[in-house]
Amino acid sequence: MSGAGGEGFLSKLVNWVDSRLGLSRPLLRPVPAFAINPLYWLGALTVVAFLIQGITGVIMMLYYVPSPAQAYSSTQYVFQSVYYGRFLETIHLYTAYAMIMLAFMHLMRGYFVSVHKKPREVMWVTGMLMGFVTLGFGFTGYLLPWTVISKSATDVGTGMIAVMPQPVQGFVNFLVVGSGGDAATLLRFYDLHVVVLPAVLLVLLTVKMYMLETHGIAEPETGKALSDKERKTVPIFPDVTLYLLELAAVFGAGMLLISALFPLNLPAAYSAQAAGQIVQQPDWYFLWMYQILKIQAFEGTFAIGSTHIQYLAVALGLVTLLFVALVLLPLLDRSKARRVRARPRFVTLGTIFVAELIVLSVWGYLTPGIQIPNYQAALVLGGTALLVGAASLLLFRAFGKTETGGPASKPSTKGLSDPKRAVFNKASAVIILCALGALAIGSTFQALLSTVLAGATMSNLVFLGLSLTGLVAVCLATMFFVYRTELRRSQIKRRIRFFEWRAG
Amino acid sequence: MDLVKRVILPLLALQAVSIAAMASLNSLSSTSEGIFAIFLSTDLISFAIIAHIYRVSKADETPSRYFLIPALAAILILLFSSLTIS
């Protein structure tokens, strides 16, 4: 397959580089062969995105002036007068988006394959902090062009500071707003974006790399022992380096093409008048949070003693709690099981989390500036949680294993005793089915009503279709549940293979 | 002709040509931005293919057709689209 001529030249080139730079010396530990898979390199691709950000950002820094009077005009200058300026700005923005998306995918992959477990707990916390820094990059960078959209979106974020508790408010004000006024805020954002956050990210990256070298890449938990071929290690240079460069090149090519296909157009400059004419909306990666804050329940204030607290602060507190829970995941998920099939609760929670984020983001995009009535929030968020949760739990019942590694039909004897567990399982199944049934019936009724009153529009028909699908799914789940219950009572003599647990 | 000569040498030639083409573009026009992106993407994908073939051949394995075919197809599509744009 390979030719001596060309390969000889490449080999000589690689050997030349190696002999001069000493890259093949064991500076970094070799990588096991099972890790030669793109899913293991999502974090590395995030770093590649960060590097592209750094390079394009430094070029833009040469022209950018961080003052409200000149921020927009200097950005416009880059767009119009700098060689490939618009392209540079576009790729900077899209790579930032890719960096956030890759970091999120890296986080969720880590969550599902349990990389947060012993001995990688500190690595997990470091990675989470890096994720927050990445979001910080997005937040601070978005303001810099000083367009009407970016300033309004940032105002949404900085407006949240006012509802924070006093000590936190003081700290965040110092960190983000500075001495007050547009000029101070812009300068603070710029400093954070180009100095503080990159420095913090580099320190955290060093810590994480050190820990990766200490603990190595987590082995996949597939229930089977790794083959010799998978265990074989691959040297960091040239093999892993080349593999990473392949991925980086493909990623870079993708980003270039997206930037060429959807070039950025600079929105209008910020002015109070222009800001009054647009709907304030944060960028897509904060839409889910903004959508939560738009729920009617978080309007107004309540009093504890003489202190008046905004409900918005409660919403912010809930979001913060979610972040804290993610950081402290190694303390919350302490079982030794790492396999996805053996962690039904946490995998279900993770799936619900991802589904809710997607639903909230899409919903936020579709309803800019519109307050969300409580019943809608309950219907959509509750419905998503129940449907995804029920689907996930059903899949686990069908294909999963218990946390002790045994089949799902033979539950762990830890905790509740078996009869109590059976009652508990049955009761929770009934509650879930009733809730899902009520939800499906309610939404079908509402969809029918909307279709009759407002006509058979596409959105109404989609809503109706989804509701009916949900209703059918609930009916099937109920049949399944009844079958299982009756089977246990020996009321059903003929077992249906399709409905049996695989492991049972 | 072996794989190296059949694939790597044309890709190296393509990279050289695309770099020359990129250098000749008017860097302030928006059409040029598109062509520049296309050529740079072509270069990057070519690099990925060369790296892949070298890495895999070194380990006495066969280059993955699931990577090579889409990557080469992408290069062809990109080159055709650059002609269309220009």
Side-chain angles (χ1 to χ4, degrees):
Chain A
M1 214 52 186
S2 62
E7 200 192 331
F9 166 73
L10 287 175
S11 294
K12 277 182 194 165
L13 183 69
V14 169
N15 289 337
W16 187 90
V17 172
D18 188 28
S19 65
R20 268 58 175 186
L21 303 179
L23 294 172
S24 64
R25 277 185 303 174
L27 181 69
L28 297 172
R29 68 157 73 192
V31 169
F34 66 77
I36 301 296
N37 175 335
L39 288 177
Y40 282 82
W41 299 94
L42 291 172
L45 282 178
T46 313
V47 177
V48 170
F50 173 61
L51 291 177
I52 298 174
Q53 292 281 289
I55 294 164
T56 50
V58 165
I59 299 172
M60 291 196 299
M61 259 173 75
L62 300 175
Y63 302 97
Y64 182 74
V65 184
S67 80
Q70 286 176 284
Y72 185 81
S73 55
S74 59
T75 309
Q76 205 172 29
Y77 176 78
V78 175
F79 261 74
Q80 291 171 352
S81 307
V82 173
Y83 291 159
Y84 299 120
R86 186 168 76 150
F87 187 57
L88 205 68
E89 295 266 5
T90 308
I91 211 159
H92 190 78
L93 178 73
Y94 289 164
T95 318
Y97 289 166
M99 187 175 165
I100 291 169
M101 187 51 87
L102 284 166
F104 179 70
M105 284 162 68
H106 184 50
L107 161 79
M108 290 322 295
R109 183 194 166 271
Y111 176 93
F112 285 121
V113 302
S114 302
V115 295
H116 53 274
K117 296 196 172 173
K118 188 181 170 186
R120 297 182 179 82
E121 298 96 326
V122 183
M123 246 174 113
W124 171 267
V125 176
T126 314
M128 282 303 303
L129 296 179
M130 289 171 78
F132 295 143
V133 173
T134 306
L135 284 178
F137 269 119
F139 183 61
T140 52
Y142 202 59
L143 176 70
L144 302 186
W146 208 252
T147 64
V148 63
I149 292 175
S150 69
K151 174 72 168 65
S152 304
T154 311
D155 283 345
V156 174
T158 48
M160 294 297 128
I161 299 172
V163 300
M164 289 176 180
Q166 200 53 49
V168 183
Q169 196 183 113
F171 176 70
V172 178
N173 256 326
F174 161 75
L175 201 68
V176 176
V177 183
S179 55
D182 283 348
T185 305
L186 180 60
L187 194 60
R188 193 58 61 101
F189 269 57
Y190 180 70
D191 291 344
L192 285 170
H193 191 73
V194 302
V195 179
V196 179
L197 292 176
V200 172
L201 193 67
L202 284 175
V203 170
L204 290 172
L205 182 63
T206 311
V207 172
K208 202 169 177 210
M209 283 304 294
Y210 170 75
M211 281 186 284
L212 182 68
E213 279 306 295
T214 308
H215 302 304
I217 294 175
E219 283 192 10
E221 282 286 328
T222 55
K224 291 182 290 184
L226 289 174
S227 66
D228 288 344
K229 192 182 170 190
E230 287 170 321
R231 277 192 187 285
K232 189 184 77 178
T233 55
V234 183
I236 204 83
F237 186 85
D239 300 64
V240 177
T241 313
L242 280 175
Y243 181 69
L244 192 52
L245 285 173
E246 279 168 44
L247 290 179
V250 173
F251 169 71
M255 294 317 302
L256 283 168
L257 287 177
I258 293 172
S259 305
L261 284 172
F262 308 102
L264 187 63
N265 289 313
L266 193 63
Y270 171 75
S271 67
Q273 193 190 3
Q277 290 168 353
I278 64 155
V279 179
Q280 287 190 331
Q281 183 95 323
D283 215 1
W284 62 268
Y285 42 88
F286 286 126
L287 267 181
W288 64 275
M289 207 189 291
Y290 187 52
Q291 190 68 1
I292 293 177
L293 302 180
K294 274 169 30 190
I295 296 172
Q296 195 183 17
F298 298 124
E299 283 284 305
T301 56
F302 64 99
I304 298 179
S306 60
T307 316
H308 287 268
I309 300 171
Q310 291 195 35
Y311 280 111
L312 213 52
V314 178
L316 275 181
L318 288 174
V319 173
T320 311
L321 207 63
L322 180 74
F323 283 137
V324 172
L326 272 174
V327 174
L328 299 180
L329 185 68
L331 295 177
L332 301 174
D333 180 13
R334 299 177 71 169
S335 75
K336 287 182 180 165
R338 286 190 50 225
R339 203 175 166 196
V340 171
R341 284 184 175 190
R343 300 166 53 232
R345 291 183 204 96
F346 278 93
V347 171
T348 303
L349 279 175
T351 318
I352 291 174
F353 173 64
V354 175
E356 295 282 15
L357 281 190
I358 295 170
V359 166
L360 280 167
S361 301
V362 174
W363 196 17
Y365 177 75
L366 296 174
T367 55
I370 299 171
Q371 196 186 48
I372 307 301
N374 291 335
Y375 81 92
Q376 260 189 30
L379 199 71
V380 173
L381 298 183
T384 307
L386 282 172
L387 281 174
V388 174
S392 171
L393 287 174
L394 274 174
L395 283 173
F396 268 106
R397 290 299 291 173
F399 303 109
K401 304 267 180 185
T402 61
E403 298 204 351
T404 50
S409 52
K410 294 173 189 165
S412 161
T413 50
K414 274 199 296 183
L416 296 172
S417 59
D418 275 354
K420 278 184 186 170
R421 181 177 289 276
V423 173
F424 176 76
N425 281 348
K426 201 180 285 182
S428 35
V430 169
I431 291 168
I432 289 174
L433 279 174
C434 287
L436 278 173
L439 193 75
I441 292 168
S443 61
T444 309
F445 180 70
Q446 180 158 359
L448 276 172
L449 208 64
S450 310
T451 313
V452 170
L453 294 177
T457 60
M458 182 54 82
S459 60
N460 281 342
L461 289 176
V462 169
F463 184 33
L464 185 61
L466 286 175
S467 308
L468 284 172
T469 311
L471 199 59
V472 171
V474 172
C475 290
L476 284 174
T478 311
M479 281 165 60
F480 179 66
F481 174 70
V482 171
Y483 165 79
R484 289 295 303 172
T485 314
E486 294 300 301
L487 189 70
R488 197 162 287 162
R489 284 191 199 153
S490 302
Q491 297 295 314
I492 296 176
K493 300 294 178 200
R494 187 162 166 260
R495 299 168 77 94
I496 304 170
R497 185 182 288 269
F498 177 77
F499 281 141
E500 293 312 306
W501 314 138
R502 207 175 93 173
Chain B
M1 206 190 285
D2 60 31
L3 188 68
V4 172
K5 282 181 185 159
R6 263 188 306 170
V7 180
I8 292 183
L9 291 180
L11 286 177
L12 286 172
L14 178 70
Q15 284 185 323
V17 171
S18 70
I19 288 168
M22 279 192 284
S24 69
L25 290 170
N26 168 13
S27 47
L28 285 177
S29 114
S30 59
T31 312
S32 297
E33 282 178 353
I35 297 174
F36 179 83
I38 286 173
F39 279 134
L40 200 51
S41 306
T42 311
D43 280 350
L44 286 173
I45 297 173
S46 306
F47 172 79
I49 295 173
I50 294 170
H52 178 75
I53 291 176
Y54 173 75
R55 180 177 63 82
V56 172
S57 305
K58 197 172 149 280
D60 287 331
E61 289 172 14
T62 315
S64 162
R65 68 177 63 177
Y66 298 109
F67 175 70
L68 282 189
I69 293 173
L72 289 170
I75 288 179
L76 282 178
I77 293 168
L78 287 174
L79 290 177
F80 276 118
S81 50
S82 75
L83 287 176
T84 315
I85 293 174
S86 60

